[in-house]
Amino acid sequence: MKEKEITMKKRISKPIITVILVLISSLSFAQNIQTVTLDQAIALAKKNNIDLKIADKEIEKQTVLKKTAFQVDPLQVQYQGGQFNSANYDHNVSIQQYFPIGKITKANRQLQEELVKLAEKRKALSEYEIEKAVSLAYYQYLYGVSIQKLNNELNDIYSKFLKNAELRFNTGESGNIEVISAKAKVKEIETQKAQLEYDLAVYQKQLQYFIQTQDNIVPDTATPLQYTNPNDLNASKVEGLVNDYYLQQISVYQKEANTFKAMRTPKLGLGYFAQTIDTKSLFQGFTAGLQIPLFGGVNTARAKASEISISQSQLELDKSKLTLKLQMQELQNEFEKQKKGLVYYQNEGLQYADQIIITAQKSYANGDMSYWSYISFLNQAIDIKKQNAEAVNTFNQSAIQLQFPSISK
């Protein structure tokens, strides 16, 4: 008997331990969950996102490179020994340094300043893309929550239906087919509930990816499911970002062309020498000279290439403006279409669904409606509710796309 009891305890202990571990894990996850609003999620993403940190480093790098605007050639130190003055062995030491003159230093400094600004414009575009990605992921999670709520509602409906079916079967009012059908539907809904848990976990990880944190960040489920689209910010914000980026790029190429042109100016050289003559006396003196770039075709070609790049950037700006204009028109039409569909479900569709469910449940409970009619009406109401959830999700995606149209650069 004792051996059997020990064996039974061993058999029972493993599942119990597993359940306990699952419960502990769930409680630990629940305790570590951080609920955030959309604005907070965007702020966290801008703070944590590695791409933005890389952009900050690029700005820092270009800022440091501003110190390279004044560029001098390496110091030239030369020693000469031998019979270059007479038969005696003499010594000569000379030092020479060439300095840039003209506008080259100013041109270098201006180019570097524009490169810093260009790095800042690139970061602004990255922030824009991250804000869009976080918004899409945030409302995708809320959509998953709404589907969960709908699933729970369906579970309640069919659970009540199962109780009624069992009661009717026990009293002989109906056949076993109703009970079997209700049980199958409840099991189906329970299975969907488990699948929705996985979907929600995927949506949460997508949001966490864009925020780039180890914390379990989840959206605030008190947030209204329907996204509010600030129409007044759409065109002005994105157009400003695109214009600023390409105009800054043009400014960089202009300064780059000026720098190459300035490289064609001569460099001033200053030097000092000391030497012996007949190995007796130390003679000193100073030298001055110019480095004149006689063959300046390379820098001239580079300057012309930069001027061509200016034209390319202007064409890219014109193309982006046209593309953005057409895209905004397309997105606006899509938004209006989704909005119109959503209005139907909000004003009429959901009310019809609720009325169908309530009326069908009462009629079926009172015996005024057949089983098959009841199931048919329930399926119709459920389809309406599902279509409403899809309509809200599609509307949200459309609204976010309208607020954050894609930028080609």
Side-chain angles (χ1 to χ4, degrees):
M1 287 295 293
K2 290 183 178 180
E3 290 181 359
K4 289 183 178 180
E5 288 177 0
I6 293 172
T7 303
M8 288 296 291
K9 287 180 180 178
K10 287 182 178 179
R11 289 177 180 174
I12 295 172
S13 62
K14 288 184 179 179
I16 291 175
I17 291 173
T18 302
V19 171
I20 292 173
L21 289 175
V22 170
L23 288 172
I24 292 173
S25 176
S26 299
L27 288 172
S28 176
F29 178 81
Q31 290 174 351
N32 294 329
I33 288 178
Q34 180 181 351
T35 302
V36 296
T37 64
L38 177 59
D39 289 339
Q40 289 172 337
I42 292 172
L44 284 172
K46 290 182 178 180
K47 177 183 176 182
N48 298 334
N49 191 274
I50 295 176
D51 289 334
L52 291 184
K53 290 181 179 180
I54 294 173
D56 284 331
K57 288 299 179 182
E58 180 64 20
I59 295 172
E60 182 181 351
K61 181 181 76 174
Q62 296 299 338
T63 302
V64 170
L65 289 174
K66 288 169 66 175
K67 298 177 181 179
T68 65
F70 181 70
Q71 300 178 11
V72 296
D73 290 351
L75 180 68
Q76 297 180 9
V77 180
Q78 184 176 357
Y79 167 78
Q80 184 178 10
Q83 297 171 324
F84 52 84
N85 288 319
S86 65
N88 296 316
Y89 195 95
D90 287 309
H91 305 276
N92 179 284
V93 177
S94 62
I95 300 173
Q96 196 165 35
Q97 177 69 64
Y98 279 89
F99 299 91
I101 58 176
K103 299 181 179 180
I104 182 62
T105 299
K106 181 180 179 181
N108 281 331
R109 184 174 62 253
Q110 291 177 341
L111 172 60
Q112 206 56 52
E113 289 173 349
E114 297 305 315
L115 286 171
V116 172
K117 294 177 183 178
L118 182 61
E120 292 172 345
K121 302 302 180 185
R122 286 199 183 101
K123 181 186 176 183
L125 291 176
S126 297
E127 287 179 334
Y128 171 88
E129 295 292 350
I130 289 171
E131 189 173 349
K132 175 182 179 179
V134 170
S135 298
L136 288 170
Y138 191 93
Y139 276 88
Q140 186 68 27
Y141 182 92
L142 292 180
Y143 164 71
V145 172
S146 71
I147 294 297
Q148 270 193 334
K149 291 179 180 178
L150 177 59
N151 184 266
N152 292 334
E153 182 181 347
L154 297 181
N155 188 48
D156 291 338
I157 292 172
Y158 276 98
S159 294
K160 292 177 181 178
F161 168 53
L162 176 58
K163 290 180 181 179
N164 287 332
E166 290 174 337
L167 179 61
R168 289 162 67 92
F169 174 72
N170 292 333
T171 57
E173 297 179 25
S174 64
N176 196 32
I177 185 63
E178 295 184 16
V179 177
I180 296 173
S181 177
K183 286 182 178 179
K185 193 64 179 181
V186 169
K187 288 295 182 182
E188 178 186 340
I189 293 172
E190 290 176 351
T191 302
Q192 290 175 348
K193 180 179 180 180
Q195 292 174 328
L196 288 171
E197 290 290 343
Y198 286 106
D199 288 340
L200 208 59
V202 170
Y203 299 151
Q204 189 273 333
K205 291 302 177 185
Q206 289 175 345
L207 178 63
Q208 190 175 347
Y209 168 77
F210 292 115
I211 295 178
Q212 295 189 346
T213 177
Q214 296 296 328
D215 298 332
N216 294 317
I217 301 292
V218 296
D220 184 1
T221 54
T223 304
L225 180 59
Q226 184 175 334
Y227 181 75
T228 303
N229 184 36
N231 290 312
D232 56 329
L233 297 179
N234 292 342
S236 59
K237 182 176 181 179
V238 66
E239 286 177 1
L241 287 171
V242 171
N243 284 341
D244 288 349
Y245 175 76
Y246 282 109
L247 291 177
Q248 186 58 40
Q249 198 175 69
I250 290 171
S251 182
V252 167
Y253 287 133
Q254 288 173 337
K255 296 300 186 291
E256 188 178 72
N258 293 339
T259 299
F260 287 131
K261 291 176 182 178
M263 286 181 179
R264 296 178 299 187
T265 59
K267 291 183 179 180
L268 174 65
L270 298 177
Y272 165 81
F273 71 89
Q275 71 174 40
T276 61
I277 298 178
D278 296 332
T279 68
K280 295 180 181 180
S281 301
L282 181 65
F283 294 86
Q284 304 179 69
F286 294 92
T287 62
L290 290 174
Q291 283 186 349
I292 302 175
L294 296 178
F295 306 98
V298 172
N299 289 324
T300 300
R302 288 174 177 171
K304 289 182 178 179
S306 295
E307 291 171 353
I308 294 173
S309 296
I310 292 173
S311 300
Q312 286 179 320
S313 293
Q314 184 60 57
L315 290 173
E316 288 173 353
L317 174 57
D318 295 339
K319 177 185 174 182
S320 295
K321 286 182 176 180
L322 177 60
T323 302
L324 182 60
K325 181 179 179 181
L326 295 175
Q327 184 185 178
M328 289 294 295
Q329 292 173 353
E330 180 181 349
L331 291 174
Q332 185 68 46
N333 290 335
E334 180 66 20
F335 172 76
E336 295 298 334
K337 182 181 80 172
Q338 300 303 332
K339 182 179 179 181
K340 188 173 183 179
L342 183 60
V343 167
Y344 159 72
Y345 287 106
Q346 290 178 337
N347 294 343
E348 299 180 64
L350 289 178
Q351 287 82 347
Y352 291 149
D354 290 334
Q355 290 172 8
I356 290 171
I357 292 172
I358 294 172
T359 304
Q361 286 176 332
K362 288 182 179 179
S363 298
Y364 180 72
N366 294 332
D368 299 331
M369 181 179 292
S370 69
Y371 163 72
W372 299 112
S373 297
Y374 175 62
I375 291 298
S376 176
F377 282 121
L378 271 187
N379 288 335
Q380 180 185 2
I382 290 167
D383 284 341
I384 293 174
K385 287 180 175 288
K386 287 182 178 179
Q387 290 168 12
N388 171 69
E390 292 292 339
V392 174
N393 184 50
T394 306
F395 169 84
N396 287 344
Q397 302 295 312
S398 176
I400 293 172
Q401 291 289 350
L402 178 60
Q403 185 181 0
F404 300 98
S406 300
I407 297 176
S408 58
K409 63 180 189 301

